[in-house]
Amino acid sequence: MTPLEQLEGFPTYLANNWDTVLELAIAHAIVVGVSIVIAGVVGVGLGCLTYRNQPARDAVLRVTGLFLTIPSLALYALLITIPGMGFGAKPVIVALTMYALLPIVRNTVTGLLGVDPAIVESALGMGLSRGQRLFRIELPLAWPVVLTGVRVSTLIIIGIAALGAILNGPGLGELIFDGLGRFGTPFALPIALSGFLGVVALGIVFDVFFNVVTRLTTSRGVR
Amino acid sequence: MTEAMIRLEQLTKRFPGQSEPAVEELSMEIPEGEIVVLVGPSGCGKTTTMKLINRIIEPSSGRIFLEGEDVTAADPDQLRRRIGYVIQQIGLFPHRTIHDNIATVPKLLGWSDDKIRARVDELLETVGLDPSRYRDRYPKELSGGQRQRVGVARALSADPPVMLMDEPFGAIDPITRDRLQNEFLRVQEDIRKTIVFVTHDIDEAIKMGDRIAILGERSVIAQYDRPEVILSQPADGFVEDFIGSGASLKRLNLARVRDYELGDWPTGRVDEERPTLLAKLRASDKGAILILDAEGRPQRWLRPRDLQRPDASLSDIGLVVEAKVEPQATLADALNELVRSRVGSAVVVDKSGVYAGTVDMDVIMTAAEAMRKAARADARASMDAESSAGQVR
Ligand SMILES: Nc1ncnc2c1ncn2[C@@H]1O[C@H](COP(=O)(O)OP(=O)(O)OP(=O)(O)O)[C@@H](O)[C@H]1O
Ligand SMILES: [Mg+2]
């Protein structure tokens, strides 16, 4: 069977297996979603804690930057050697969280440092405390930039999450590896393709989602 | 003298890594209800001095008293809620509506929503912005001048006894600046706040200040006195240079039209006969007669040759009255109008536009003479007071 003939089998495959594909896509989205929420909280937190202190800021950016240079397969391999980690969703979420940190921390820091100093000074002059300035003034103004970081992270880890199938992690990676494993059989290409297209579709869904979130959570005054 | 609203005692600020202090041993008293202007060359430490008062910059040594209370070590956030703060860049919160910007401090102080809303509307009215139109807008939807007004309203929101204003009208075109200054002086007549106002523009200082502190390097006070005294008796060469030439002209900025006897030009009504008008004009020593409409509002200047033209109607001939000032305008404004006018006289009109008199060269000269005398008497009196009290202000 030529690849072209296999491709013709794709619609039939999808029609018969759409529920499996959808199930895996949802599992994929959940793994990505959980990781991005954790990375969001940790990353924004780290950004808020360190943006005013250059040595701390540089250290955090360097370490989270380092995470991103570790090849994902190597990181997965490394993680399963940690006692108690095991296989499945857990090590995948840990890895994805690590990869998602840098863009979030970096954009949080950039966003906070980019707030007009005159605005911060007038807030200070009015007697807003450190926390009130951060949560009521600086973070809301940095918010669009922070969200852009979260969105970039999400797109990065959607792809990396697919490789999580190696550790029996849930998600569309299962289809891709399954397809690769059946190389030469009639369904190899349709299966792998449905995994691949699922990942792309998921990316688009997340992108649209963040567009909506950005619109809803950004004040009209700074749009 | 009653307890000053703000008292600075030997305040010094050294920034780390700088050999010279930015402010050195500054002692000064700021009386309640007055506008005290800090003026001096760029970099002399005006902004630093102001920020020492609300402790945005912490002093290296010295003490700060607010309403008699030592606040040098008080909780800075609590302190700042008692002090309104306006900076040149305004610093409105772009993500918040005008209402929410103005409501910032009242919210921190835990006011009820109803009270806050009423206060915001009241303040918008005070600064000349229609609440229903502007309250729900965002800062980017306002002009620069409107934003500056909101900045002032925001600083006034919790009715603080003290306001600090750092070049509040610095980044605005001259015409709008003039209007905002006038409006602010009008507001201040009602609210009587104690205001520390920073500028590097001596003309603004003269216009705005009840007292002016001329600062040199390291915020050292070269002279601290009422503007008329500074203009007539500069303490030293530095002050003289800083005032620049034209001190007498500048003094006209201190005088209001309403405080002087106005000039008297012949007037007539549109419905009067020409020979009557001409007779009135001839009876005076002036070169033109001012024609008023039925409500008493000035319309046109008519010179003898206008009146001798039989053909045209009275409302088409002569010169349209353009140079008009209101009683609260300064003599400098009036002089400016006078020079523009082709008959050598600025017409004074009240709020509803009704003729109240004129300002001509005679009025200006008489006023200048009166001011010179008053300043001399003032200086003598304050010298006497100082020598009898045995202290220097
Ligand atoms: N944060 C700072 N760190 C170090 N030096 C400072 C700081 N702020 C001000 N200075 C220095 O202190 C001096 C006084 O500055 P300041 O801003 O008070 O001047 P200014 O009178 O307000 O001037 P301008 O009219 O230009 O606004 C200057 O020499 C300035 O360089
Ligand atoms: Mg300054």
Side-chain angles (χ1 to χ4, degrees):
Chain A
M1 230 182 182
T2 65
L4 204 63
E5 283 165 335
Q6 286 200 14
L7 211 53
E8 278 162 8
F10 176 65
T12 331
Y13 171 81
L14 203 57
N16 294 335
N17 297 280
W18 64 269
D19 48 347
T20 320
V21 176
L22 189 64
E23 217 168 275
L24 289 172
I26 290 172
H28 199 111
I30 289 175
V31 172
V32 168
V34 169
S35 311
I36 213 71
V37 167
I38 299 174
V41 172
V42 175
V44 173
L46 282 174
C48 289
L49 287 175
T50 60
Y51 76 104
R52 281 148 58 94
N53 177 330
Q54 186 166 6
R57 188 171 81 211
D58 290 349
V60 168
L61 288 176
R62 205 159 304 133
V63 171
T64 51
L66 215 59
F67 291 161
L68 214 49
T69 65
I70 309 173
S72 39
L73 287 180
L75 185 58
Y76 285 138
L78 213 65
L79 282 174
I80 51 172
T81 64
I82 295 176
M85 192 62 84
F87 287 81
K90 205 150 91 182
V92 176
I93 289 175
V94 172
L96 295 185
T97 304
M98 287 168 71
Y99 286 124
L101 278 177
L102 178 70
I104 296 178
V105 177
R106 199 196 45 210
N107 277 39
T108 304
V109 167
T110 312
L112 289 172
L113 290 179
V115 175
D116 179 354
I119 293 172
V120 181
E121 187 185 317
S122 73
L124 183 70
M126 281 193 270
L128 272 75
S129 67
R130 182 80 273 280
Q132 287 164 338
R133 287 196 307 273
L134 180 64
F135 289 110
R136 300 189 190 183
I137 309 297
E138 295 173 87
L139 258 187
L141 290 177
W143 192 241
V145 184
V146 174
L147 272 184
T148 305
V150 175
R151 172 183 186 155
V152 169
S153 284
T154 308
L155 297 183
I156 292 176
I157 67 172
I158 286 177
I160 299 176
L163 293 179
I166 280 197
L167 305 183
N168 274 339
L172 293 162
E174 207 177 306
L175 292 173
I176 298 171
F177 282 104
D178 194 16
L180 289 176
R182 296 172 191 233
F183 189 70
T185 69
F187 281 120
L189 191 55
I191 294 177
L193 196 60
S194 59
F196 165 75
L197 289 179
V199 168
V200 172
L202 211 53
I204 294 171
V205 169
F206 268 105
D207 212 45
V208 170
F209 171 75
F210 278 114
N211 254 326
V212 174
V213 171
T214 307
R215 285 208 144 268
L216 291 181
T217 58
T218 308
S219 155
R220 192 158 63 81
V222 288
R223 229 177 277 147
Chain B
M1 192 168 166
T2 54
E3 178 66 56
M5 179 59 90
I6 302 169
R7 187 152 56 86
L8 308 179
E9 240 182 57
Q10 306 258 304
L11 267 192
T12 296
K13 176 63 190 182
R14 261 169 227 288
F15 286 109
Q18 290 194 351
S19 51
E20 293 260 295
V23 175
E24 188 169 29
E25 309 250 307
L26 176 70
S27 296
M28 136 177 238
E29 294 196 354
I30 292 159
E32 180 172 356
E34 295 199 357
I35 301 182
V36 167
V37 180
L38 307 182
V39 64
S42 183
C44 72
K46 305 179 292 291
T47 297
T48 307
T49 303
M50 164 165 288
K51 289 184 184 175
L52 286 169
I53 298 175
N54 64 357
R55 292 186 34 223
I56 284 188
I57 295 177
E58 291 286 357
S60 312
S61 64
R63 329 212 118 262
I64 306 153
F65 294 85
L66 182 66
E67 296 178 285
E69 172 197 344
D70 185 345
V71 292
T72 323
D75 177 74
D77 293 331
Q78 298 298 334
L79 171 68
R80 289 172 196 145
R81 289 173 202 173
R82 290 162 63 190
I83 302 179
Y85 189 50
V86 185
I87 53 179
Q88 178 174 342
Q89 311 87 328
I90 320 174
L92 292 185
F93 304 142
H95 61 303
R96 294 195 168 179
T97 60
I98 300 312
H99 172 279
D100 290 351
N101 264 281
I102 299 175
T104 308
V105 178
K107 263 188 199 149
L108 290 176
L109 296 175
W111 292 16
S112 74
D113 285 352
D114 286 346
K115 189 176 168 196
I116 292 179
R117 197 174 175 77
R119 178 69 179 154
V120 169
D121 285 2
E122 178 192 348
L123 282 165
L124 283 173
E125 302 264 7
T126 307
V127 298
L129 294 172
D130 174 9
S132 60
R133 254 182 91 188
Y134 292 102
R135 116 173 38 91
D136 296 321
R137 292 208 189 171
Y138 285 90
K140 70 171 182 189
E141 296 161 340
L142 300 186
S143 73
Q146 292 169 336
R147 273 180 228 164
Q148 194 52 269
R149 286 172 211 201
V150 174
V152 170
R154 185 173 67 169
L156 286 170
S157 60
D159 206 13
V162 171
M163 298 251 285
L164 306 181
M165 308 179 83
D166 192 352
E167 308 208 22
F169 310 127
I172 299 175
D173 67 89
I175 295 169
T176 312
R177 181 189 313 143
D178 206 55
R179 210 170 57 220
L180 289 179
Q181 288 168 339
N182 293 338
E183 280 175 15
F184 186 75
L185 287 173
R186 184 174 49 70
V187 171
Q188 166 68 356
E189 281 189 13
D190 295 335
I191 59 178
R192 292 268 152 223
K193 299 287 177 200
T194 305
I195 295 167
V196 181
F197 189 109
V198 164
T199 178
H200 57 254
D201 174 1
I202 183 70
D203 293 314
E204 184 171 46
I206 292 166
K207 179 168 184 188
M208 303 302 289
D210 293 309
R211 277 164 212 273
I212 298 176
I214 299 197
L215 305 179
E217 292 285 288
R218 289 165 282 117
S219 242
V220 171
I221 297 181
Q223 188 169 9
Y224 180 31
D225 214 322
R226 300 205 168 271
E228 52 273 23
V229 177
I230 288 186
L231 285 175
S232 54
Q233 342 247 296
D236 55 22
F238 173 78
V239 174
E240 222 162 86
D241 285 350
F242 197 77
I243 298 169
S245 58
S248 321
L249 267 182
K250 285 182 177 135
R251 241 183 343 234
L252 293 180
N253 277 310
L254 294 168
R256 308 255 156 210
V257 168
R258 59 169 178 236
D259 299 330
Y260 293 89
E261 196 174 324
L262 299 178
D264 193 17
W265 284 56
T267 60
R269 300 252 165 198
V270 263
D271 50 4
E272 281 181 276
E273 297 296 332
R274 284 170 201 226
T276 324
L277 295 173
L278 201 57
K280 280 189 190 176
L281 178 50
R282 293 251 155 86
S284 76
D285 59 345
K286 310 289 190 201
I289 180 168
L290 181 64
I291 301 299
L292 311 176
D293 69 6
E295 276 77 46
R297 291 181 300 231
Q299 298 296 306
R300 281 167 182 274
W301 287 110
L302 300 185
R303 294 154 296 184
R305 66 180 140 98
D306 299 319
L307 288 166
Q308 279 151 2
R309 284 172 59 194
D311 45 331
S313 122
L314 274 189
S315 47
D316 293 333
I317 54 178
L319 303 163
V320 176
V321 174
E322 277 166 351
K324 279 190 262 191
V325 292
E326 294 199 352
Q328 69 271 22
T330 65
L331 284 188
D333 296 336
L335 177 61
N336 192 41
E337 291 297 316
L338 181 165
V339 171
R340 280 199 325 134
S341 108
R342 282 163 62 190
V343 293
S345 170
V347 176
V348 183
V349 292
D350 67 12
K351 262 211 178 80
S352 39
V354 173
Y355 173 74
T358 61
V359 175
D360 52 25
M361 247 3 246
D362 292 344
V363 174
I364 302 270
M365 292 309 295
T366 316
E369 180 54 31
M371 276 185 281
R372 253 195 309 277
K373 275 195 189 133
R376 270 200 298 270
D378 218 43
R380 224 174 292 126
S382 73
M383 252 149 64
D384 290 350
E386 271 162 27
S387 52
S388 63
Q391 61 166 45
V392 178
R393 179 161 55 196

